[in-house]
Amino acid sequence: MKAQPTLITEKKPLLGLLPEELTEYCREIGEPRYRAQQIFRRLYAADAEVRVAEFAAMSELPRALREKLTETAQLRALELVRLQESTDGTKKFLFRLVDGREIETVLIPSEIVEENGEPKRLTICVSTQVGCPLNCQFCATASLKLKRNLTTGEILDQFLTAQQYSTKPITNLVFMGMGEPMLNYDNVMKAVQIFTHESAQLLGPRRITLSTSGLVEGIKRMADENSPIKLALSLHATTDGLRTELMPINKKYNLQMLGNALEYYYRKTGSPITFEYILFEGVNDSDEDARRLQRITRRFPSKVNVIPFHPIDFTNPEGIAKSLKPTSDAQFQSFIHRLRELDVTVMIRSSSGKDIHAACGQLALAKE
Ligand code: SAH
């Protein structure tokens, strides 16, 4: 692949524009409507041959236009700084943004393989903010605080660039990287609109999952807009006392409010909900927790993704964060068994990419 041209702030970013916006842009620079279609096809192509690195390579455009675009418009939103690969095949990308800030993106092959030995799914874990303001005690990204929201183009480009480094098509996308997607709602949903756009066809809506720490307004908005993507809620505790300690956002939106918002969402969309539940030894892994978890999740069709805690010692945590430990394998299995006895649908989230700090909650731009 060709080296990517350096990003320049003054240029007009084209990534993130919808077809109608690209048409408007072409009108402004005196170009006909069909040019917008040609550019759109190049901008959002998963295929490396079609998705060129420079306007100069868009051979179907007249030379003068290619030169004009090179002078005034930005083709890419990200520059790849580093790519690390885990022993399990997980890849972690470090990207630099136009303002010099950095984010991480993770590409995870599923453990389940097809007959030809290829992974069944290839999931991209996309960041939505530089850092995060929410201060969840177990999450490494919290140590960065919030720097800013990502633009729609920066969200899309994580997928597009990662795709260029993979021979297999990316099949699924989760908004579970750095940041709280509900706090960047408009840019995230516009990215979804483009990912799923009939002229781009990068992903189907049911292959996209938004994970939230529980921002009630966002959940209700997704319900009211009848959003076609899937919703996951980071629960992690079954009592308000513990949840507030682990996730300060629980002070604003407690378990009762969350349960009501999720029920509202289910009634409006008919879409089941995934609960994410990290197991911390001796903190939230008891039989009583399993019973309370069942009561919380049975109000509507749902499943629970149980996640092993990935330690974040490299961020030098303080307070309760310092004392959090992963549940032992035996207790992990027994907790899952207990939930299944209670008729809860349970999935176990793998810890892909732990050796390169690419597992859930480990994204923190640590200079390794
Ligand atoms: N802000 C969103 C999305 C980012 S977090 C949210 O809170 O859902 C993506 C998932 O990783 C969440 O379920 C989160 O709780 C989990 N996670 C965070 N830190 C983790 C850690 N140290 N170990 C395991 N999972 C973690």
Side-chain angles (χ1 to χ4, degrees):
M1 223 182 93
K2 277 195 205 146
Q4 299 196 7
T6 312
L7 304 173
I8 300 169
T9 334
E10 291 72 32
K11 292 186 178 178
K12 164 92 176 168
L14 297 192
L15 269 184
L17 296 184
L18 286 160
E20 54 270 31
E21 292 169 331
L22 209 50
T23 306
E24 174 59 21
Y25 170 71
C26 282
R27 203 188 53 73
E28 282 166 19
I29 61 168
E31 294 291 332
R33 162 180 288 267
Y34 69 91
R35 292 279 178 236
Q37 285 160 3
Q38 290 174 316
I39 300 170
F40 187 90
R41 178 179 155 271
R42 291 287 197 175
L43 274 181
Y44 302 116
D47 182 342
E49 301 289 304
V50 183
R51 185 189 189 241
V52 291
E54 292 160 15
F55 287 111
M58 298 186 179
S59 49
E60 68 279 32
L61 304 181
R63 193 187 167 132
L65 175 57
R66 281 184 264 161
E67 281 166 6
K68 180 152 71 177
L69 290 173
T70 306
E71 287 299 305
T72 56
Q74 191 105 267
L75 186 54
R76 298 282 166 94
L78 305 173
E79 257 180 83
L80 181 63
V81 177
R82 185 180 63 209
L83 173 54
Q84 288 170 282
E85 186 157 0
S86 157
T87 48
D88 63 29
T90 300
K91 293 186 174 122
K92 184 166 85 169
F93 299 80
L94 176 67
F95 290 118
R96 186 177 301 122
L97 315 176
V98 72
D99 59 1
R101 298 212 152 98
E102 292 177 337
I103 53 161
E104 290 178 331
T105 305
V106 183
L107 198 55
I108 313 149
S110 61
E111 283 164 7
I112 311 157
V113 291
E114 292 188 296
E115 275 166 25
N116 61 7
E118 285 283 314
K120 200 170 160 60
R121 284 189 308 274
L122 183 60
T123 302
I124 187 164
C125 179
V126 166
S127 293
T128 55
Q129 299 185 305
V130 187
C132 184
L134 293 182
N135 204 20
C136 296
Q137 292 298 298
F138 44 81
C139 180
T141 305
S143 64
L144 301 173
K145 309 280 190 304
L146 178 68
K147 301 298 187 308
R148 70 166 169 89
N149 280 339
L150 293 183
T151 64
T152 300
E154 288 162 345
I155 294 170
L156 290 161
D157 210 3
Q158 295 173 61
F159 175 99
L160 292 165
T161 304
Q163 181 63 79
Q164 316 287 273
Y165 288 86
S166 171
T167 45
K168 193 188 144 55
I170 298 171
T171 59
N172 295 72
L173 182 148
V174 292
F175 289 113
M176 296 188 190
M178 299 176 151
E180 168 52 51
M182 293 294 196
L183 292 177
N184 188 14
Y185 192 94
D186 292 334
N187 291 349
V188 168
M189 289 307 178
K190 190 170 175 194
V192 166
Q193 225 186 321
I194 295 173
F195 280 126
T196 58
H197 199 282
E198 55 173 359
S199 340
Q201 294 199 4
L202 292 166
L203 288 165
R206 302 307 291 169
R207 291 179 175 266
I208 301 178
T209 302
L210 183 150
S211 174
T212 179
S213 58
L215 276 86
V216 162
E217 283 93 354
I219 296 170
K220 289 199 173 139
R221 200 167 154 197
M222 272 179 80
D224 289 334
E225 293 172 1
N226 219 331
S227 173
I229 64 171
K230 294 190 192 175
L231 178 63
L233 177 87
S234 291
L235 186 67
H236 310 321
T238 56
T239 64
D240 278 316
L242 177 63
R243 195 165 189 274
T244 300
E245 248 189 289
L246 294 173
M247 306 175 70
I249 188 68
N250 195 70
K251 266 183 267 177
K252 192 161 176 201
Y253 306 108
N254 62 25
L255 290 172
Q256 180 69 38
M257 292 160 84
L258 277 180
N260 292 344
L262 291 174
E263 186 170 331
Y264 178 80
Y265 170 88
Y266 175 72
R267 282 181 198 279
K268 285 261 178 169
T269 63
S271 179
I273 287 135
T274 299
F275 288 91
E276 295 157 285
Y277 195 82
I278 307 172
L279 281 185
F280 304 107
E281 185 174 64
V283 172
N284 67 351
D285 60 354
S286 68
D287 266 12
E288 295 77 73
D289 285 303
R291 272 196 298 276
R292 283 189 295 257
L293 188 51
Q294 185 239 15
R295 281 199 291 275
I296 292 172
T297 59
R298 73 175 171 202
R299 283 175 68 176
F300 29 75
S302 66
K303 67 174 185 211
V304 176
N305 244 338
V306 180
I307 312 175
F309 172 51
H310 305 126
I312 55 163
D313 304 337
F314 59 91
T315 65
N316 298 318
E318 285 173 22
I320 185 175
K322 211 168 160 174
S323 61
L324 295 173
K325 290 190 182 51
T327 295
S328 70
D329 287 350
Q331 184 55 26
F332 195 97
Q333 291 310 325
S334 124
F335 190 80
I336 301 241
H337 181 75
R338 190 77 197 98
L339 285 178
R340 291 196 169 132
E341 276 179 352
L342 293 166
D343 274 335
V344 176
T345 308
V346 189
M347 313 276 282
I348 303 171
R349 169 100 49 90
S350 81
S351 302
S352 305
K354 236 166 63 174
D355 54 340
I356 53 167
H357 287 163
C360 301
Q362 294 191 311
L363 302 186
L365 308 173
K367 296 272 178 271
E368 285 130 305

